[in-house]
Amino acid sequence: MSDRFFDPRVAVFDTGQTRYPERPPFHPPTAYPEYLFGKDEVDRANYVYDAVRQLFVLLGLDVERYGTREWNPLGALIRPGDHVVLKPNLVISEHPDGLAGIYASVVHGSLLRAVLDYVLIANRGEGRIVIADSPIKEVDFSRILELTGIGQMVAYLNARHHLGIEVLDWRDVQVTRDANRVMVSQQRLPGDPRGYRLIDLGEKSMLAEIAQYAARYRSTAAVYDRAIHAAHTRTRNLYSLPNSLLQADAVISLAKLKTHRKAGVTLSLKNMVGLTNEKRWLPHHRVGSPREGGDLYADTTRVDIKFKERAKDVLITHAWGRWAAQVLGVPLLKIYERAVKPFLDQQSGNAREQIEDGDWYGNDTVWRMVLDLNTLLFYANRNGQLCDALQRRYLALMDGIVGGMEEGPLKPRPRLAGILVAGFNPVAVDVVCARVMGFDYRLIPQIRRALERTWLPLGNFDAQNIAVKSNLARWRDILRSDDAGLGFTPTRGWQGHIEWTSKETPRA
């Protein structure tokens, strides 16, 4: 399906429902003609499985044989003997709103089960299937597998049908925080059993455009160090990828329809941040304001916030930062947040005055890292060498049954959307998803720049040529109308900037 990578078709299936099936292993609602397993393995309440089938039909996948035992919708993507990676977004394992917040943040196991069954049909029981992600450093991976039902689902299929499906946490380090959110320890993890490969994008990196500011790069995954400065310099842009990914013949991205504080949205392109084990090397923002060559906050951000952000930066980038945070940082921060910040917030009339942590539309760093990781996914071969031709077949699916809005990606509020989206190209899928959410994709740098880039292209087409297939006319016309979409609320730092207003000229 690499020949379909630049096929600008996207399918949107509106399910009309907004609750996930509750019982793993999420069998289909009926034994479809193509179903591999027994008629006793059905769950009549699982509408998500049928929605995935309809999504494949809308995309035109093997439609000639739909409804027969021979239907194989992923047959052009996956061949017998292939190494297949399914990459779900499993970014968090805790949320202030409990399970409802978790469902707004991560991909649900019912979507994964349906896709997995069609992978099994396509590979005919041969080859290797890996389900993997590299979530944020604090995540309890076993817990998120349990909460989403993925762990129980895979355990069932492996035990009953001897499938040998692997579930991998690609991280090699996990961090523990105390009650005050201070990082107090880190533990080594097994990581990828096939190891990792370091790849230097060098001047092919999107960061090359801002290489003069390399000393300002900061990663939210830093653990009292500046490891990022060894990975990214004026001439070097180093990333670490698991060999389980690089060996893949096909990759299926299962992303989440939600907002993102630093990137605006986290969809198919942003989902690939979960490919790397070495999170400390990922540039998320640049210290300072734009006038100084940074994007941690705006030029007009309040002095108190600038001071707090500079202090945080000093603590997180030095080995003594843990001690200083516990002894000085936490007590001072509590005084500031209780006695000073509320008063100053009331006096602030401009949202830009409160921007912090790179969480705004002026973040000019994170989108570059996102596109770098997508470049590696599609153009790095098994040995980690960058090639001119696409190296893997690909399919993107979006879980929008319950989406996430406001302070995503880690603390979004649920938005009951009831939709699934799929396509052959991540940029095309993200264009459509942004519009469905009610956002202007032209004002989201990771989407706009992916569309514009001509070398090692990620989206080699005009967005207006994307053909949207849907069971509802509203979504078929979404790129040609001024429909405001589902009205997702952006994160605070993006409000008033990316909301859709017109199909004509976007805001400056």
Side-chain angles (χ1 to χ4, degrees):
M1 200 174 286
S2 59
D3 59 329
R4 293 191 179 184
F5 184 73
F6 296 115
D7 182 340
R9 274 184 294 170
V10 175
V12 179
F13 187 78
D14 196 311
T15 69
Q17 301 191 55
T18 57
R19 294 188 63 181
Y20 291 108
E22 297 179 355
R23 297 192 301 273
F26 310 119
H27 295 314
T30 188
Y32 297 111
E34 74 277 6
Y35 187 46
L36 286 174
F37 307 120
K39 292 184 179 180
D40 62 317
E41 296 182 75
V42 297
D43 178 359
R44 299 194 184 283
N46 185 4
Y47 73 94
V48 171
Y49 199 110
D50 190 67
V52 171
R53 294 178 85 245
Q54 298 308 314
L55 200 61
F56 289 160
V57 172
L58 287 169
L59 267 184
L61 299 179
D62 198 26
V63 290
E64 297 80 5
R65 295 191 292 181
Y66 175 68
T68 72
R69 292 181 60 184
E70 289 72 36
W71 189 49
N72 181 10
L74 299 184
L77 171 70
I78 297 162
R79 297 155 190 171
D82 272 357
H83 176 88
V84 182
V85 170
L86 284 76
K87 164 59 181 77
N89 184 331
L90 302 176
V91 66
I92 62 168
S93 55
E94 301 289 342
H95 192 285
D97 296 332
L99 195 58
I102 292 288
Y103 284 170
S105 306
V106 302
V107 169
H108 194 265
S110 59
L111 178 63
L112 192 63
R113 168 61 196 275
V115 174
L116 186 57
D117 277 5
Y118 288 99
V119 172
L120 291 167
I121 289 172
N123 80 354
R124 298 179 186 173
E126 304 172 20
R128 178 183 293 121
I129 299 175
V130 172
I131 299 169
D133 192 17
S134 177
I136 63 171
K137 56 185 181 290
E138 300 91 343
V139 161
D140 182 334
F141 199 69
S142 297
R143 175 173 169 77
I144 194 57
L145 292 179
E146 178 183 356
L147 291 174
T148 58
I150 293 172
Q152 303 95 305
M153 179 263 291
V154 173
Y156 173 91
L157 291 175
N158 282 343
R160 179 155 183 178
H161 299 290
H162 312 289
L163 298 175
I165 300 165
E166 297 179 59
V167 180
L168 300 179
D169 180 353
W170 274 332
R171 297 174 303 170
D172 50 10
V173 172
Q174 181 181 8
V175 167
T176 300
R177 294 182 185 268
D178 65 14
N180 293 313
R181 301 295 297 159
V182 175
M183 294 181 290
V184 294
S185 66
Q186 55 181 311
Q187 303 83 37
R188 300 298 302 181
L189 298 175
D192 189 347
R194 298 170 186 87
Y196 303 90
R197 190 172 295 274
L198 305 185
I199 308 174
D200 183 6
L201 271 177
E203 294 184 357
K204 293 290 183 70
S205 168
M206 298 301 293
L207 293 163
E209 297 177 349
I210 54 170
Q212 69 271 30
Y213 302 124
R216 293 184 174 272
Y217 296 160
R218 296 292 188 271
S219 174
T220 58
V223 186
Y224 309 121
D225 60 44
R226 293 193 180 191
I228 193 169
H229 292 156
H232 297 281
T233 67
R234 285 178 173 267
T235 58
R236 180 171 63 246
N237 287 291
L238 197 64
Y239 295 91
S240 175
L241 292 188
N243 283 319
S244 288
L245 171 75
L246 292 174
Q247 292 170 12
D249 300 290
V251 173
I252 299 179
S253 167
L254 296 115
K256 193 69 178 177
L257 191 76
K258 62 178 178 176
T259 55
H260 193 287
R261 286 181 173 183
K262 298 182 189 302
V265 293
T266 174
L267 303 169
S268 304
L269 290 166
K270 185 67 175 57
N271 190 34
M272 294 306 112
V273 174
L275 296 182
T276 178
N277 62 305
E278 193 49 273
K279 300 285 193 178
R280 299 176 307 159
W281 294 356
L282 299 182
H284 289 96
H285 52 252
R286 306 194 301 272
V287 70
S289 69
R291 190 178 295 135
E292 302 166 310
D295 56 12
L296 184 62
Y297 38 69
D299 292 321
T300 55
T301 294
R302 288 198 324 250
V303 173
D304 61 301
I305 293 177
K306 288 183 178 181
F307 179 81
K308 184 189 75 170
E309 288 299 298
R310 289 285 192 165
K312 281 169 50 182
D313 180 61
V314 170
L315 293 179
I316 203 66
T317 56
H318 289 81
W320 45 261
R322 171 186 166 185
W323 174 86
Q326 289 178 304
V327 175
L328 296 173
V330 170
L332 291 174
L333 182 63
K334 287 182 177 180
I335 294 172
Y336 167 73
E337 291 187 338
R338 290 172 183 171
V340 179
K341 188 174 185 298
F343 172 76
L344 294 176
D345 284 351
Q346 290 181 351
Q347 310 305 312
S348 296
N350 188 335
R352 291 190 192 182
E353 295 179 3
Q354 301 182 40
I355 288 169
E356 56 187 304
D357 206 31
D359 295 345
W360 68 307
Y361 65 85
N363 188 314
D364 183 49
T365 306
V366 72
W367 67 265
R368 299 175 185 274
M369 172 265 287
V370 169
L371 296 193
D372 277 2
L373 288 167
N374 279 270
T375 299
L376 294 173
L377 168 65
F378 295 115
Y379 292 101
N381 67 16
R382 295 172 186 265
N383 297 318
Q385 297 169 325
L386 212 58
C387 303
D388 293 330
L390 293 164
Q391 297 299 299
R392 287 163 198 90
R393 302 182 293 277
Y394 173 87
L395 187 68
L397 286 95
M398 191 69 56
D399 179 359
I401 300 296
V402 178
M405 66 180 188
E406 297 175 8
E407 300 311 305
L410 306 184
K411 296 180 181 179
R413 187 163 67 87
R415 174 60 169 92
L416 306 182
I419 66 166
L420 297 176
V421 185
F424 309 115
N425 180 277
V427 187
V429 169
D430 286 6
V431 166
V432 173
C433 286
R435 281 293 290 111
V436 167
M437 295 169 82
F439 301 147
D440 191 335
Y441 63 88
R442 298 168 297 182
L443 296 172
I444 302 172
Q446 64 188 7
I447 300 177
R448 185 185 74 248
R449 290 297 299 269
L451 283 167
E452 293 171 353
R453 201 174 85 177
T454 56
W455 50 271
L456 299 180
L458 298 172
N460 194 18
F461 44 78
D462 188 315
Q464 294 305 310
N465 292 330
I466 296 173
V468 182
K469 310 294 182 181
S470 180
N471 59 325
L472 293 186
R474 178 187 187 186
W475 303 132
R476 290 196 293 271
D477 297 335
I478 190 65
L479 296 183
R480 297 186 296 274
S481 72
D482 276 333
D483 189 319
L486 293 174
F488 276 57
T489 306
T491 68
R492 186 178 62 170
W494 289 75
Q495 287 178 19
H497 181 73
I498 60 170
E499 296 90 336
W500 180 260
T501 58
S502 170
K503 62 178 179 291
E504 302 303 330
T505 305
R507 296 187 200 89

